[in-house]
Amino acid sequence: MELETYIVNAFADAPGRGNRAGVVVSPEHPPEDVMQIVAADIGASETAFVAPEERAWNIRWFSPLKEMSLCGHATLAASRVLFGKEPLIDSLVFRYAGGILPVQRYPDDSIGMDFPLDDYMRCPPVAAFDDFFGPLRVTDCICGRRTGKVIIVTDEGTDLRTIAPDFNRMVEYRGLCGSGIAVTKASSVYDFESRYFNPWAGVNEDPVTGSVHTVLARYWSERLEKKTLAAFQNSSRPGELLLTVGDDRVEIRGKARIVLQGTFFP
């Protein structure tokens, strides 16, 4: 078996920035155990596997440890690969277990992905957060109803880059935030900034994360009373996202760059 494989920096258009994703394109999906092995060997936070399906593309996402229900940055990476293979098209559709994800390419070569907007509920901060992050001023705490992702809101004066999580304590924890946890704040340059951690999926820090922005978009849209939001994920490999919020959908828009192309031999 030979698999056409790419490494793509998502939500960035330069080396060393954005979220590195694997993309595997094949006539049909390999067996699940093979996809998991490939994702573990590629070692990116997620690898997208895409295969053609009735004028669309079936997509599945795997972290190094398990299959994921939704992944924004790997979808963006897969879109960049497919638009490169078919330069005359400006739209495509992905099918996944939860429905469809329409994708649009814009004249500036950015790519917009139409994702379901996640609602949220407020949840009280738990004592384990202090174990994870040390002293952190928490002004709000929410949990995505669909994604299960926990988001801690802190004040604008917090420097997110100084947060140094204790990943050993995090991965041992079994409770509220087993689907991942973000820290976010309002920003003087963007509308908001964030960082996102998910050692429970084998990814200590995910540099730029589309799926958590399905929750962040609703929260900050309501708080700032804006439908278009500029977001910045302030990791060591930072990235920018443009969010357009509708009633139950959000367009997550960004750029991506292919940095490696080759063949994987599982």
Side-chain angles (χ1 to χ4, degrees):
M1 182 186 300
E2 298 181 3
L3 298 174
E4 180 184 348
T5 305
Y6 301 80
I7 301 296
V8 183
N9 291 351
F11 296 113
D13 195 19
R17 295 177 66 87
N19 200 350
R20 189 171 63 92
V23 178
V24 175
V25 183
S26 55
E28 59 184 24
H29 287 311
E32 285 190 8
D33 61 336
V34 173
M35 289 192 283
Q36 187 62 74
I37 290 169
V38 171
D41 267 3
I42 288 175
S45 53
E46 273 87 17
T47 294
F49 294 82
V50 294
E53 182 184 88
E54 297 178 5
R55 293 184 294 180
W57 292 87
N58 187 276
I59 187 167
R60 295 175 69 175
W61 308 275
F62 285 77
S63 82
L65 293 183
K66 63 181 182 179
E67 184 168 8
M68 308 299 286
S69 60
L70 187 69
C71 179
H73 85 277
T75 303
L76 178 61
S79 302
R80 166 55 59 223
V81 168
L82 296 177
F83 282 132
K85 292 168 71 68
E86 301 186 55
L88 298 181
I89 67 170
D90 289 320
S91 63
L92 53 86
V93 173
F94 290 108
R95 290 196 177 97
Y96 74 115
I100 63 170
L101 298 172
V103 175
Q104 178 74 35
R105 178 167 55 178
Y106 287 92
D108 67 352
D109 211 32
S110 65
I111 295 170
M113 305 172 291
D114 182 18
F115 272 74
L117 187 64
D118 198 2
D119 200 0
Y120 61 87
M121 56 187 174
R122 281 186 165 79
C123 50
V126 298
F129 293 171
D130 290 336
D131 295 332
F132 297 169
F133 303 116
L136 184 67
R137 176 172 163 76
V138 178
T139 60
D140 206 353
C141 185
I142 63 172
C143 180
R145 293 184 183 276
R146 185 195 306 266
T147 61
K149 298 183 187 301
V150 172
I151 296 171
I152 297 172
V153 185
T154 187
D155 59 64
E156 189 172 339
T158 302
D159 183 354
L160 297 188
R161 287 294 299 273
T162 65
I163 295 174
D166 187 330
F167 295 114
N168 290 328
R169 285 183 176 270
M170 292 175 79
V171 79
E172 292 170 356
Y173 173 77
R174 297 292 181 269
L176 181 66
C177 47
S179 295
I181 186 168
V183 181
T184 187
K185 68 167 192 172
S187 170
S188 59
V189 178
Y190 301 85
D191 289 304
F192 67 91
E193 300 177 17
S194 66
R195 286 178 67 186
Y196 177 72
F197 313 98
N198 195 356
W200 303 278
V203 183
N204 282 345
E205 178 165 10
D206 200 29
V208 194
T209 314
S211 58
V212 76
H213 282 83
T214 64
V215 192
L216 287 165
R218 185 185 290 276
Y219 176 83
W220 285 109
S221 176
E222 293 175 355
R223 179 165 164 175
L224 300 177
E225 298 182 341
K226 297 179 68 174
K227 292 296 186 182
T228 301
L229 300 159
F232 182 63
Q233 197 151 331
N234 197 357
S235 69
S236 61
R237 292 178 58 97
E240 299 176 338
L241 310 88
L242 181 65
L243 310 171
T244 303
V245 179
D247 291 337
D248 59 358
R249 308 287 295 185
V250 57
E251 184 189 65
I252 301 175
R253 181 171 167 181
K255 292 189 174 183
R257 176 171 176 159
I258 297 172
V259 295
L260 187 67
Q261 176 180 353
T263 303
F264 193 101
F265 300 93

